Amino acid sequence: MQDKKSPQEAAKSLLVFENDMLLGIPAIDDQHKEFYLIYNTLIGNIAKRGDTPVDLGPVIHDIYNYYINHFQLEELVMRHVGYPFLREHKKAHRDIFARLDELSIRLAERSITLDEVLLELRTTASSHFREIDRGIGIHYRIWLRSHPEGAPMGHSGG
Ligand SMILES: [Fe+2]
Ligand SMILES: [Fe+2]
């Protein structure tokens, strides 16, 4: 069957953004798609290099920066719409940074394989976007009923 991939195959397959992941908040949805682009570009680069090892250090660094920017926006939106689970959500964001730190250390120690890092990166992002961020979209739709003008941060920099 198609979904019976080995961890190695799963790690190196492209991430597909599915519409059920859309929150209906364009600025956040665009950034979620951007993560998929970053990850898929990485997979493409790895494939091109064949047997030449890839240095994942800089990639983790880029993903770290991506998350700084992304979580800033999300937390701004959550505050703006009075999201009731802001504290818990911020904790989930901090946990992602902690995991990235751990991955960097394990990479430096060479105690983790490329596939393990890839699997972790993709699983963390997908499950956070799908399960944790989902609540922001639900709350946002309710909030919109009394704020038809929408949230100003839908425009970048706003
Ligand atoms: Fe997110
Ligand atoms: Fe989030």
Side-chain angles (χ1 to χ4, degrees), residues 23 28 32 67 70-71 74-75 78 89-90 92-93 96 128-129 132-134 136:
L23 303 185
I28 296 181
H32 285 168
Y67 276 131
H70 177 56
F71 292 163
E74 252 179 32
E75 289 170 19
M78 286 189 274
H89 201 124
K90 282 176 79 171
H93 288 170
I96 289 182
H128 184 88
F129 297 171
I132 312 277
D133 291 345
R134 208 178 123 76
I136 313 173

Side-chain angles (χ1 to χ4, degrees), residues 13-21 36 40 122 126 130:
S13 62
L14 295 177
L15 274 177
V16 180
F17 190 92
E18 281 158 39
N19 282 343
D20 69 341
M21 297 176 68
Y36 277 44
N40 288 342
R122 64 187 291 145
S126 299
R130 209 181 269 280

Side-chain angles (χ1 to χ4, degrees), residues 48-119:
K48 262 188 255 154
R49 291 176 64 108
D51 291 335
T52 319
V54 179
D55 182 7
L56 280 184
V59 174
I60 303 264
H61 183 80
D62 288 349
I63 290 180
Y64 207 96
N65 284 334
Y66 162 84
Y67 276 131
I68 289 176
N69 188 38
H70 177 56
F71 292 163
Q72 237 167 29
L73 172 72
E74 252 179 32
E75 289 170 19
L76 185 83
V77 172
M78 286 189 274
R79 248 179 254 115
H80 190 90
V81 302
Y83 186 60
F85 304 107
L86 173 65
R87 221 165 58 125
E88 292 85 344
H89 201 124
K90 282 176 79 171
K91 163 86 170 65
H93 288 170
R94 283 199 303 277
D95 289 346
I96 289 182
F97 286 129
R99 272 308 288 165
L100 284 177
D101 284 340
E102 215 175 305
L103 284 181
S104 297
I105 293 167
R106 294 194 60 196
L107 266 171
E109 288 172 341
R110 296 174 194 275
S111 63
I112 191 165
T113 66
L114 172 79
D115 288 338
E116 284 169 336
V117 176
L118 291 177
L119 267 181

